[in-house]
Amino acid sequence: MADDQLSRVLSALADPTRRDIVARLAAGDATVNELAEPYNVTVQAVSKHIKVLEDAGLVSRSRDAQRRPCHLEAEVFDLMTKWIERYRREAEDRFRRLDAVLEQMDGRADEQPVTGKSTKEEAS
Amino acid sequence: MADDQLSRVLSALADPTRRDIVARLAAGDATVNELAEPYNVTVQAVSKHIKVLEDAGLVSRSRDAQRRPCHLEAEVFDLMTKWIERYRREAEDRFRRLDAVLEQMDGRADEQPVTGKSTKEEAS
DNA sequence: CGCATATTCAACCGCTTGGTTAAATTCAAC
DNA sequence: GTTGAATTTAACCAAGCGGTTGAATATGCG
């Protein structure tokens, strides 16, 4: 479905098992069998999970006899953080502008206040 | 399928149309019809997309007559960045340690280095 | 009330996904 | 060359997803 890498990365990490695999690979490279051990699914299922991570560019593999050690490619995370930061910052800026506007018209609060109900917490 | 919020958030953002909706909401609140306009899918499809974003906690809605303005809840992004930062840092630390090891044994590079079969369990 | 607008609900469809079992492949080691 | 371990491929299945059309539900306006 998703053809761009960011979609593939997000989709890959949307699965808790795959996130756990990534977490374990962050602690060190591992083989498919090693990775499969803790979960109560077949090793074939884990092999598929790893393929998804590999297609997303999150994991690379070398060869060691029959083994195919998996290695985490952490740089791909930047794709996500860049996307996130961009729109979070945008949203925060807008929020700040809204605050400014509200502050500007402090006294006369007769207008309906935009999104209604509350300005809520602005904390990060 | 995914029952935890992080899974829901990542899964929601794995769709390019939904990411675009989020991007537009970062610039300001909007109604379902407004959001649906640029895409060549039905408004019902967009309504479903918004529901997915809402279930993930990324979007909240107020009421304005028949309209249901959508508002971006940017704090949820923290869920992702926290997860990402944790494991990226871990991977980078490991990388730094590996560098140190390689530096340590500089002269004798006859061993096959790289991912080496030595890493694995124990972890931290 | 009757009508138009905005949104959702329901049923359906084709494709993908995560899982399975069974068979094939790759490579070391005997 | 046979055995055995690690991994992938193939075929299949149930469930979920993104899309559709069509009907229902709110709500403001004459």
mmCIF file with all atom_site columns, all heavy atoms in Angstrom, chain C residues 13-22:
data_model
loop_
_atom_site.group_PDB
_atom_site.id
_atom_site.type_symbol
_atom_site.label_atom_id
_atom_site.label_alt_id
_atom_site.label_comp_id
_atom_site.label_asym_id
_atom_site.label_entity_id
_atom_site.label_seq_id
_atom_site.pdbx_PDB_ins_code
_atom_site.Cartn_x
_atom_site.Cartn_y
_atom_site.Cartn_z
_atom_site.occupancy
_atom_site.B_iso_or_equiv
_atom_site.pdbx_formal_charge
_atom_site.auth_seq_id
_atom_site.auth_comp_id
_atom_site.auth_asym_id
_atom_site.auth_atom_id
_atom_site.pdbx_PDB_model_num
ATOM 1   P P     . DC C 1 13 ? -20.383 -7.628  -2.085 1.00 0.00 ? 13 DC C P     1
ATOM 2   O OP1   . DC C 1 13 ? -21.152 -8.091  -3.257 1.00 0.00 ? 13 DC C OP1   1
ATOM 3   O OP2   . DC C 1 13 ? -20.059 -8.559  -0.981 1.00 0.00 ? 13 DC C OP2   1
ATOM 4   O "O5'" . DC C 1 13 ? -19.022 -6.994  -2.593 1.00 0.00 ? 13 DC C "O5'" 1
ATOM 5   C "C5'" . DC C 1 13 ? -19.036 -5.725  -3.241 1.00 0.00 ? 13 DC C "C5'" 1
ATOM 6   C "C4'" . DC C 1 13 ? -17.609 -5.315  -3.555 1.00 0.00 ? 13 DC C "C4'" 1
ATOM 7   O "O4'" . DC C 1 13 ? -17.089 -4.521  -2.462 1.00 0.00 ? 13 DC C "O4'" 1
ATOM 8   C "C3'" . DC C 1 13 ? -16.663 -6.495  -3.724 1.00 0.00 ? 13 DC C "C3'" 1
ATOM 9   O "O3'" . DC C 1 13 ? -15.820 -6.286  -4.842 1.00 0.00 ? 13 DC C "O3'" 1
ATOM 10  C "C2'" . DC C 1 13 ? -15.877 -6.512  -2.420 1.00 0.00 ? 13 DC C "C2'" 1
ATOM 11  C "C1'" . DC C 1 13 ? -15.858 -5.040  -2.039 1.00 0.00 ? 13 DC C "C1'" 1
ATOM 12  N N1    . DC C 1 13 ? -15.744 -4.802  -0.576 1.00 0.00 ? 13 DC C N1    1
ATOM 13  C C2    . DC C 1 13 ? -14.835 -3.856  -0.108 1.00 0.00 ? 13 DC C C2    1
ATOM 14  O O2    . DC C 1 13 ? -14.144 -3.221  -0.913 1.00 0.00 ? 13 DC C O2    1
ATOM 15  N N3    . DC C 1 13 ? -14.737 -3.659  1.242  1.00 0.00 ? 13 DC C N3    1
ATOM 16  C C4    . DC C 1 13 ? -15.501 -4.363  2.082  1.00 0.00 ? 13 DC C C4    1
ATOM 17  N N4    . DC C 1 13 ? -15.379 -4.125  3.383  1.00 0.00 ? 13 DC C N4    1
ATOM 18  C C5    . DC C 1 13 ? -16.430 -5.325  1.617  1.00 0.00 ? 13 DC C C5    1
ATOM 19  C C6    . DC C 1 13 ? -16.520 -5.519  0.287  1.00 0.00 ? 13 DC C C6    1
ATOM 20  P P     . DG C 1 14 ? -14.993 -7.545  -5.451 1.00 0.00 ? 14 DG C P     1
ATOM 21  O OP1   . DG C 1 14 ? -15.293 -7.645  -6.889 1.00 0.00 ? 14 DG C OP1   1
ATOM 22  O OP2   . DG C 1 14 ? -15.185 -8.716  -4.550 1.00 0.00 ? 14 DG C OP2   1
ATOM 23  O "O5'" . DG C 1 14 ? -13.505 -7.025  -5.291 1.00 0.00 ? 14 DG C "O5'" 1
ATOM 24  C "C5'" . DG C 1 14 ? -13.134 -5.764  -5.841 1.00 0.00 ? 14 DG C "C5'" 1
ATOM 25  C "C4'" . DG C 1 14 ? -11.758 -5.379  -5.316 1.00 0.00 ? 14 DG C "C4'" 1
ATOM 26  O "O4'" . DG C 1 14 ? -11.841 -5.085  -3.905 1.00 0.00 ? 14 DG C "O4'" 1
ATOM 27  C "C3'" . DG C 1 14 ? -10.701 -6.475  -5.450 1.00 0.00 ? 14 DG C "C3'" 1
ATOM 28  O "O3'" . DG C 1 14 ? -9.487  -5.854  -5.815 1.00 0.00 ? 14 DG C "O3'" 1
ATOM 29  C "C2'" . DG C 1 14 ? -10.658 -7.103  -4.069 1.00 0.00 ? 14 DG C "C2'" 1
ATOM 30  C "C1'" . DG C 1 14 ? -10.955 -5.910  -3.184 1.00 0.00 ? 14 DG C "C1'" 1
ATOM 31  N N9    . DG C 1 14 ? -11.598 -6.229  -1.912 1.00 0.00 ? 14 DG C N9    1
ATOM 32  C C8    . DG C 1 14 ? -12.563 -7.176  -1.689 1.00 0.00 ? 14 DG C C8    1
ATOM 33  N N7    . DG C 1 14 ? -12.961 -7.213  -0.435 1.00 0.00 ? 14 DG C N7    1
ATOM 34  C C5    . DG C 1 14 ? -12.207 -6.239  0.186  1.00 0.00 ? 14 DG C C5    1
ATOM 35  C C6    . DG C 1 14 ? -12.207 -5.822  1.539  1.00 0.00 ? 14 DG C C6    1
ATOM 36  O O6    . DG C 1 14 ? -12.884 -6.243  2.486  1.00 0.00 ? 14 DG C O6    1
ATOM 37  N N1    . DG C 1 14 ? -11.290 -4.797  1.761  1.00 0.00 ? 14 DG C N1    1
ATOM 38  C C2    . DG C 1 14 ? -10.479 -4.242  0.795  1.00 0.00 ? 14 DG C C2    1
ATOM 39  N N2    . DG C 1 14 ? -9.663  -3.263  1.183  1.00 0.00 ? 14 DG C N2    1
ATOM 40  N N3    . DG C 1 14 ? -10.489 -4.622  -0.465 1.00 0.00 ? 14 DG C N3    1
ATOM 41  C C4    . DG C 1 14 ? -11.372 -5.624  -0.702 1.00 0.00 ? 14 DG C C4    1
ATOM 42  P P     . DC C 1 15 ? -8.152  -6.684  -6.000 1.00 0.00 ? 15 DC C P     1
ATOM 43  O OP1   . DC C 1 15 ? -7.463  -6.161  -7.189 1.00 0.00 ? 15 DC C OP1   1
ATOM 44  O OP2   . DC C 1 15 ? -8.469  -8.132  -5.865 1.00 0.00 ? 15 DC C OP2   1
ATOM 45  O "O5'" . DC C 1 15 ? -7.316  -6.236  -4.723 1.00 0.00 ? 15 DC C "O5'" 1
ATOM 46  C "C5'" . DC C 1 15 ? -7.234  -4.841  -4.400 1.00 0.00 ? 15 DC C "C5'" 1
ATOM 47  C "C4'" . DC C 1 15 ? -6.384  -4.662  -3.168 1.00 0.00 ? 15 DC C "C4'" 1
ATOM 48  O "O4'" . DC C 1 15 ? -7.173  -4.952  -1.993 1.00 0.00 ? 15 DC C "O4'" 1
ATOM 49  C "C3'" . DC C 1 15 ? -5.153  -5.569  -3.112 1.00 0.00 ? 15 DC C "C3'" 1
ATOM 50  O "O3'" . DC C 1 15 ? -4.061  -4.760  -2.715 1.00 0.00 ? 15 DC C "O3'" 1
ATOM 51  C "C2'" . DC C 1 15 ? -5.528  -6.628  -2.084 1.00 0.00 ? 15 DC C "C2'" 1
ATOM 52  C "C1'" . DC C 1 15 ? -6.486  -5.864  -1.174 1.00 0.00 ? 15 DC C "C1'" 1
ATOM 53  N N1    . DC C 1 15 ? -7.508  -6.685  -0.486 1.00 0.00 ? 15 DC C N1    1
ATOM 54  C C2    . DC C 1 15 ? -7.745  -6.488  0.884  1.00 0.00 ? 15 DC C C2    1
ATOM 55  O O2    . DC C 1 15 ? -7.093  -5.632  1.485  1.00 0.00 ? 15 DC C O2    1
ATOM 56  N N3    . DC C 1 15 ? -8.699  -7.237  1.504  1.00 0.00 ? 15 DC C N3    1
ATOM 57  C C4    . DC C 1 15 ? -9.385  -8.147  0.822  1.00 0.00 ? 15 DC C C4    1
ATOM 58  N N4    . DC C 1 15 ? -10.312 -8.850  1.471  1.00 0.00 ? 15 DC C N4    1
ATOM 59  C C5    . DC C 1 15 ? -9.157  -8.367  -0.573 1.00 0.00 ? 15 DC C C5    1
ATOM 60  C C6    . DC C 1 15 ? -8.209  -7.623  -1.193 1.00 0.00 ? 15 DC C C6    1
ATOM 61  P P     . DT C 1 16 ? -2.587  -5.408  -2.571 1.00 0.00 ? 16 DT C P     1
ATOM 62  O OP1   . DT C 1 16 ? -1.622  -4.447  -3.123 1.00 0.00 ? 16 DT C OP1   1
ATOM 63  O OP2   . DT C 1 16 ? -2.607  -6.830  -3.032 1.00 0.00 ? 16 DT C OP2   1
ATOM 64  O "O5'" . DT C 1 16 ? -2.415  -5.393  -0.996 1.00 0.00 ? 16 DT C "O5'" 1
ATOM 65  C "C5'" . DT C 1 16 ? -2.717  -4.190  -0.278 1.00 0.00 ? 16 DT C "C5'" 1
ATOM 66  C "C4'" . DT C 1 16 ? -2.619  -4.436  1.214  1.00 0.00 ? 16 DT C "C4'" 1
ATOM 67  O "O4'" . DT C 1 16 ? -3.742  -5.237  1.668  1.00 0.00 ? 16 DT C "O4'" 1
ATOM 68  C "C3'" . DT C 1 16 ? -1.357  -5.174  1.657  1.00 0.00 ? 16 DT C "C3'" 1
ATOM 69  O "O3'" . DT C 1 16 ? -0.786  -4.420  2.712  1.00 0.00 ? 16 DT C "O3'" 1
ATOM 70  C "C2'" . DT C 1 16 ? -1.870  -6.553  2.073  1.00 0.00 ? 16 DT C "C2'" 1
ATOM 71  C "C1'" . DT C 1 16 ? -3.281  -6.239  2.536  1.00 0.00 ? 16 DT C "C1'" 1
ATOM 72  N N1    . DT C 1 16 ? -4.256  -7.352  2.469  1.00 0.00 ? 16 DT C N1    1
ATOM 73  C C2    . DT C 1 16 ? -4.952  -7.693  3.609  1.00 0.00 ? 16 DT C C2    1
ATOM 74  O O2    . DT C 1 16 ? -4.795  -7.137  4.687  1.00 0.00 ? 16 DT C O2    1
ATOM 75  N N3    . DT C 1 16 ? -5.845  -8.725  3.461  1.00 0.00 ? 16 DT C N3    1
ATOM 76  C C4    . DT C 1 16 ? -6.110  -9.434  2.297  1.00 0.00 ? 16 DT C C4    1
ATOM 77  O O4    . DT C 1 16 ? -6.930  -10.339 2.293  1.00 0.00 ? 16 DT C O4    1
ATOM 78  C C5    . DT C 1 16 ? -5.348  -9.020  1.136  1.00 0.00 ? 16 DT C C5    1
ATOM 79  C C7    . DT C 1 16 ? -5.561  -9.722  -0.157 1.00 0.00 ? 16 DT C C7    1
ATOM 80  C C6    . DT C 1 16 ? -4.476  -8.017  1.280  1.00 0.00 ? 16 DT C C6    1
ATOM 81  P P     . DT C 1 17 ? 0.505   -4.943  3.491  1.00 0.00 ? 17 DT C P     1
ATOM 82  O OP1   . DT C 1 17 ? 1.238   -3.764  4.001  1.00 0.00 ? 17 DT C OP1   1
ATOM 83  O OP2   . DT C 1 17 ? 1.180   -5.914  2.599  1.00 0.00 ? 17 DT C OP2   1
ATOM 84  O "O5'" . DT C 1 17 ? -0.093  -5.737  4.733  1.00 0.00 ? 17 DT C "O5'" 1
ATOM 85  C "C5'" . DT C 1 17 ? -1.058  -5.097  5.560  1.00 0.00 ? 17 DT C "C5'" 1
ATOM 86  C "C4'" . DT C 1 17 ? -1.288  -5.953  6.803  1.00 0.00 ? 17 DT C "C4'" 1
ATOM 87  O "O4'" . DT C 1 17 ? -2.252  -6.993  6.502  1.00 0.00 ? 17 DT C "O4'" 1
ATOM 88  C "C3'" . DT C 1 17 ? -0.038  -6.685  7.288  1.00 0.00 ? 17 DT C "C3'" 1
ATOM 89  O "O3'" . DT C 1 17 ? -0.070  -6.717  8.702  1.00 0.00 ? 17 DT C "O3'" 1
ATOM 90  C "C2'" . DT C 1 17 ? -0.202  -8.076  6.700  1.00 0.00 ? 17 DT C "C2'" 1
ATOM 91  C "C1'" . DT C 1 17 ? -1.714  -8.253  6.804  1.00 0.00 ? 17 DT C "C1'" 1
ATOM 92  N N1    . DT C 1 17 ? -2.296  -9.220  5.845  1.00 0.00 ? 17 DT C N1    1
ATOM 93  C C2    . DT C 1 17 ? -3.335  -10.023 6.269  1.00 0.00 ? 17 DT C C2    1
ATOM 94  O O2    . DT C 1 17 ? -3.793  -9.976  7.398  1.00 0.00 ? 17 DT C O2    1
ATOM 95  N N3    . DT C 1 17 ? -3.817  -10.885 5.312  1.00 0.00 ? 17 DT C N3    1
ATOM 96  C C4    . DT C 1 17 ? -3.380  -11.021 4.016  1.00 0.00 ? 17 DT C C4    1
ATOM 97  O O4    . DT C 1 17 ? -3.888  -11.826 3.257  1.00 0.00 ? 17 DT C O4    1
ATOM 98  C C5    . DT C 1 17 ? -2.292  -10.156 3.635  1.00 0.00 ? 17 DT C C5    1
ATOM 99  C C7    . DT C 1 17 ? -1.740  -10.221 2.250  1.00 0.00 ? 17 DT C C7    1
ATOM 100 C C6    . DT C 1 17 ? -1.813  -9.306  4.558  1.00 0.00 ? 17 DT C C6    1
ATOM 101 P P     . DG C 1 18 ? 1.302   -6.703  9.492  1.00 0.00 ? 18 DG C P     1
ATOM 102 O OP1   . DG C 1 18 ? 1.347   -5.437  10.236 1.00 0.00 ? 18 DG C OP1   1
ATOM 103 O OP2   . DG C 1 18 ? 2.396   -7.059  8.573  1.00 0.00 ? 18 DG C OP2   1
ATOM 104 O "O5'" . DG C 1 18 ? 1.114   -7.887  10.540 1.00 0.00 ? 18 DG C "O5'" 1
ATOM 105 C "C5'" . DG C 1 18 ? -0.023  -7.931  11.368 1.00 0.00 ? 18 DG C "C5'" 1
ATOM 106 C "C4'" . DG C 1 18 ? -0.318  -9.377  11.720 1.00 0.00 ? 18 DG C "C4'" 1
ATOM 107 O "O4'" . DG C 1 18 ? -0.895  -10.028 10.571 1.00 0.00 ? 18 DG C "O4'" 1
ATOM 108 C "C3'" . DG C 1 18 ? 0.929   -10.186 12.088 1.00 0.00 ? 18 DG C "C3'" 1
ATOM 109 O "O3'" . DG C 1 18 ? 0.691   -10.855 13.324 1.00 0.00 ? 18 DG C "O3'" 1
ATOM 110 C "C2'" . DG C 1 18 ? 1.106   -11.161 10.926 1.00 0.00 ? 18 DG C "C2'" 1
ATOM 111 C "C1'" . DG C 1 18 ? -0.312  -11.293 10.404 1.00 0.00 ? 18 DG C "C1'" 1
ATOM 112 N N9    . DG C 1 18 ? -0.410  -11.664 8.991  1.00 0.00 ? 18 DG C N9    1
ATOM 113 C C8    . DG C 1 18 ? 0.378   -11.218 7.964  1.00 0.00 ? 18 DG C C8    1
ATOM 114 N N7    . DG C 1 18 ? 0.058   -11.738 6.805  1.00 0.00 ? 18 DG C N7    1
ATOM 115 C C5    . DG C 1 18 ? -1.004  -12.573 7.083  1.00 0.00 ? 18 DG C C5    1
ATOM 116 C C6    . DG C 1 18 ? -1.769  -13.408 6.228  1.00 0.00 ? 18 DG C C6    1
ATOM 117 O O6    . DG C 1 18 ? -1.644  -13.579 5.020  1.00 0.00 ? 18 DG C O6    1
ATOM 118 N N1    . DG C 1 18 ? -2.757  -14.097 6.940  1.00 0.00 ? 18 DG C N1    1
ATOM 119 C C2    . DG C 1 18 ? -2.983  -13.985 8.289  1.00 0.00 ? 18 DG C C2    1
ATOM 120 N N2    . DG C 1 18 ? -3.973  -14.709 8.788  1.00 0.00 ? 18 DG C N2    1
ATOM 121 N N3    . DG C 1 18 ? -2.274  -13.211 9.099  1.00 0.00 ? 18 DG C N3    1
ATOM 122 C C4    . DG C 1 18 ? -1.306  -12.533 8.435  1.00 0.00 ? 18 DG C C4    1
ATOM 123 P P     . DG C 1 19 ? 1.847   -11.655 14.014 1.00 0.00 ? 19 DG C P     1
ATOM 124 O OP1   . DG C 1 19 ? 1.668   -11.471 15.473 1.00 0.00 ? 19 DG C OP1   1
ATOM 125 O OP2   . DG C 1 19 ? 3.121   -11.265 13.378 1.00 0.00 ? 19 DG C OP2   1
ATOM 126 O "O5'" . DG C 1 19 ? 1.532   -13.177 13.626 1.00 0.00 ? 19 DG C "O5'" 1
ATOM 127 C "C5'" . DG C 1 19 ? 0.509   -13.862 14.307 1.00 0.00 ? 19 DG C "C5'" 1
ATOM 128 C "C4'" . DG C 1 19 ? -0.052  -14.984 13.471 1.00 0.00 ? 19 DG C "C4'" 1
ATOM 129 O "O4'" . DG C 1 19 ? -0.390  -14.548 12.147 1.00 0.00 ? 19 DG C "O4'" 1
ATOM 130 C "C3'" . DG C 1 19 ? 0.884   -16.172 13.184 1.00 0.00 ? 19 DG C "C3'" 1
ATOM 131 O "O3'" . DG C 1 19 ? 0.992   -17.021 14.321 1.00 0.00 ? 19 DG C "O3'" 1
ATOM 132 C "C2'" . DG C 1 19 ? 0.139   -16.853 12.053 1.00 0.00 ? 19 DG C "C2'" 1
ATOM 133 C "C1'" . DG C 1 19 ? -0.555  -15.691 11.338 1.00 0.00 ? 19 DG C "C1'" 1
ATOM 134 N N9    . DG C 1 19 ? 0.012   -15.450 10.015 1.00 0.00 ? 19 DG C N9    1
ATOM 135 C C8    . DG C 1 19 ? 0.977   -14.542 9.659  1.00 0.00 ? 19 DG C C8    1
ATOM 136 N N7    . DG C 1 19 ? 1.270   -14.556 8.390  1.00 0.00 ? 19 DG C N7    1
ATOM 137 C C5    . DG C 1 19 ? 0.439   -15.536 7.868  1.00 0.00 ? 19 DG C C5    1
ATOM 138 C C6    . DG C 1 19 ? 0.292   -16.006 6.532  1.00 0.00 ? 19 DG C C6    1
ATOM 139 O O6    . DG C 1 19 ? 0.900   -15.629 5.521  1.00 0.00 ? 19 DG C O6    1
ATOM 140 N N1    . DG C 1 19 ? -0.663  -17.027 6.450  1.00 0.00 ? 19 DG C N1    1
ATOM 141 C C2    . DG C 1 19 ? -1.389  -17.524 7.512  1.00 0.00 ? 19 DG C C2    1
ATOM 142 N N2    . DG C 1 19 ? -2.247  -18.499 7.258  1.00 0.00 ? 19 DG C N2    1
ATOM 143 N N3    . DG C 1 19 ? -1.263  -17.083 8.759  1.00 0.00 ? 19 DG C N3    1
ATOM 144 C C4    . DG C 1 19 ? -0.343  -16.096 8.861  1.00 0.00 ? 19 DG C C4    1
ATOM 145 P P     . DT C 1 20 ? 2.097   -18.199 14.251 1.00 0.00 ? 20 DT C P     1
ATOM 146 O OP1   . DT C 1 20 ? 2.202   -18.724 15.639 1.00 0.00 ? 20 DT C OP1   1
ATOM 147 O OP2   . DT C 1 20 ? 3.300   -17.706 13.552 1.00 0.00 ? 20 DT C OP2   1
ATOM 148 O "O5'" . DT C 1 20 ? 1.393   -19.292 13.315 1.00 0.00 ? 20 DT C "O5'" 1
ATOM 149 C "C5'" . DT C 1 20 ? 0.151   -19.875 13.706 1.00 0.00 ? 20 DT C "C5'" 1
ATOM 150 C "C4'" . DT C 1 20 ? -0.385  -20.738 12.572 1.00 0.00 ? 20 DT C "C4'" 1
ATOM 151 O "O4'" . DT C 1 20 ? -0.484  -19.927 11.382 1.00 0.00 ? 20 DT C "O4'" 1
ATOM 152 C "C3'" . DT C 1 20 ? 0.538   -21.881 12.173 1.00 0.00 ? 20 DT C "C3'" 1
ATOM 153 O "O3'" . DT C 1 20 ? 0.200   -23.043 12.925 1.00 0.00 ? 20 DT C "O3'" 1
ATOM 154 C "C2'" . DT C 1 20 ? 0.230   -22.088 10.694 1.00 0.00 ? 20 DT C "C2'" 1
ATOM 155 C "C1'" . DT C 1 20 ? -0.301  -20.728 10.238 1.00 0.00 ? 20 DT C "C1'" 1
ATOM 156 N N1    . DT C 1 20 ? 0.612   -20.018 9.317  1.00 0.00 ? 20 DT C N1    1
ATOM 157 C C2    . DT C 1 20 ? 0.564   -20.290 7.968  1.00 0.00 ? 20 DT C C2    1
ATOM 158 O O2    . DT C 1 20 ? -0.184  -21.121 7.488  1.00 0.00 ? 20 DT C O2    1
ATOM 159 N N3    . DT C 1 20 ? 1.441   -19.570 7.194  1.00 0.00 ? 20 DT C N3    1
ATOM 160 C C4    . DT C 1 20 ? 2.340   -18.612 7.622  1.00 0.00 ? 20 DT C C4    1
ATOM 161 O O4    . DT C 1 20 ? 3.064   -18.041 6.842  1.00 0.00 ? 20 DT C O4    1
ATOM 162 C C5    . DT C 1 20 ? 2.341   -18.388 9.056  1.00 0.00 ? 20 DT C C5    1
ATOM 163 C C7    . DT C 1 20 ? 3.280   -17.377 9.641  1.00 0.00 ? 20 DT C C7    1
ATOM 164 C C6    . DT C 1 20 ? 1.493   -19.082 9.822  1.00 0.00 ? 20 DT C C6    1
ATOM 165 P P     . DT C 1 21 ? 1.256   -24.223 13.043 1.00 0.00 ? 21 DT C P     1
ATOM 166 O OP1   . DT C 1 21 ? 0.725   -25.164 14.046 1.00 0.00 ? 21 DT C OP1   1
ATOM 167 O OP2   . DT C 1 21 ? 2.583   -23.617 13.208 1.00 0.00 ? 21 DT C OP2   1
ATOM 168 O "O5'" . DT C 1 21 ? 1.215   -24.915 11.606 1.00 0.00 ? 21 DT C "O5'" 1
ATOM 169 C "C5'" . DT C 1 21 ? 0.030   -25.573 11.165 1.00 0.00 ? 21 DT C "C5'" 1
ATOM 170 C "C4'" . DT C 1 21 ? 0.231   -26.100 9.756  1.00 0.00 ? 21 DT C "C4'" 1
ATOM 171 O "O4'" . DT C 1 21 ? 0.624   -25.004 8.895  1.00 0.00 ? 21 DT C "O4'" 1
ATOM 172 C "C3'" . DT C 1 21 ? 1.343   -27.157 9.627  1.00 0.00 ? 21 DT C "C3'" 1
ATOM 173 O "O3'" . DT C 1 21 ? 0.879   -28.233 8.816  1.00 0.00 ? 21 DT C "O3'" 1
ATOM 174 C "C2'" . DT C 1 21 ? 2.490   -26.413 8.962  1.00 0.00 ? 21 DT C "C2'" 1
ATOM 175 C "C1'" . DT C 1 21 ? 1.758   -25.357 8.141  1.00 0.00 ? 21 DT C "C1'" 1
ATOM 176 N N1    . DT C 1 21 ? 2.528   -24.117 7.938  1.00 0.00 ? 21 DT C N1    1
ATOM 177 C C2    . DT C 1 21 ? 2.801   -23.690 6.660  1.00 0.00 ? 21 DT C C2    1
ATOM 178 O O2    . DT C 1 21 ? 2.460   -24.304 5.665  1.00 0.00 ? 21 DT C O2    1
ATOM 179 N N3    . DT C 1 21 ? 3.512   -22.519 6.590  1.00 0.00 ? 21 DT C N3    1
ATOM 180 C C4    . DT C 1 21 ? 3.954   -21.738 7.645  1.00 0.00 ? 21 DT C C4    1
ATOM 181 O O4    . DT C 1 21 ? 4.574   -20.701 7.458  1.00 0.00 ? 21 DT C O4    1
ATOM 182 C C5    . DT C 1 21 ? 3.629   -22.252 8.957  1.00 0.00 ? 21 DT C C5    1
ATOM 183 C C7    . DT C 1 21 ? 4.055   -21.488 10.171 1.00 0.00 ? 21 DT C C7    1
ATOM 184 C C6    . DT C 1 21 ? 2.950   -23.391 9.044  1.00 0.00 ? 21 DT C C6    1
ATOM 185 P P     . DA C 1 22 ? 1.752   -29.550 8.658  1.00 0.00 ? 22 DA C P     1
ATOM 186 O OP1   . DA C 1 22 ? 0.804   -30.658 8.452  1.00 0.00 ? 22 DA C OP1   1
ATOM 187 O OP2   . DA C 1 22 ? 2.776   -29.626 9.732  1.00 0.00 ? 22 DA C OP2   1
ATOM 188 O "O5'" . DA C 1 22 ? 2.487   -29.250 7.268  1.00 0.00 ? 22 DA C "O5'" 1
ATOM 189 C "C5'" . DA C 1 22 ? 1.702   -28.858 6.152  1.00 0.00 ? 22 DA C "C5'" 1
ATOM 190 C "C4'" . DA C 1 22 ? 2.588   -28.752 4.920  1.00 0.00 ? 22 DA C "C4'" 1
ATOM 191 O "O4'" . DA C 1 22 ? 3.210   -27.446 4.896  1.00 0.00 ? 22 DA C "O4'" 1
ATOM 192 C "C3'" . DA C 1 22 ? 3.740   -29.763 4.874  1.00 0.00 ? 22 DA C "C3'" 1
ATOM 193 O "O3'" . DA C 1 22 ? 3.916   -30.169 3.522  1.00 0.00 ? 22 DA C "O3'" 1
ATOM 194 C "C2'" . DA C 1 22 ? 4.921   -28.959 5.382  1.00 0.00 ? 22 DA C "C2'" 1
ATOM 195 C "C1'" . DA C 1 22 ? 4.602   -27.593 4.781  1.00 0.00 ? 22 DA C "C1'" 1
ATOM 196 N N9    . DA C 1 22 ? 5.228   -26.470 5.467  1.00 0.00 ? 22 DA C N9    1
ATOM 197 C C8    . DA C 1 22 ? 5.392   -26.281 6.814  1.00 0.00 ? 22 DA C C8    1
ATOM 198 N N7    . DA C 1 22 ? 5.992   -25.158 7.130  1.00 0.00 ? 22 DA C N7    1
ATOM 199 C C5    . DA C 1 22 ? 6.248   -24.563 5.908  1.00 0.00 ? 22 DA C C5    1
ATOM 200 C C6    . DA C 1 22 ? 6.863   -23.348 5.553  1.00 0.00 ? 22 DA C C6    1
ATOM 201 N N6    . DA C 1 22 ? 7.361   -22.486 6.443  1.00 0.00 ? 22 DA C N6    1
ATOM 202 N N1    . DA C 1 22 ? 6.946   -23.055 4.228  1.00 0.00 ? 22 DA C N1    1
ATOM 203 C C2    . DA C 1 22 ? 6.454   -23.917 3.341  1.00 0.00 ? 22 DA C C2    1
ATOM 204 N N3    . DA C 1 22 ? 5.848   -25.093 3.550  1.00 0.00 ? 22 DA C N3    1
ATOM 205 C C4    . DA C 1 22 ? 5.776   -25.351 4.874  1.00 0.00 ? 22 DA C C4    1
#
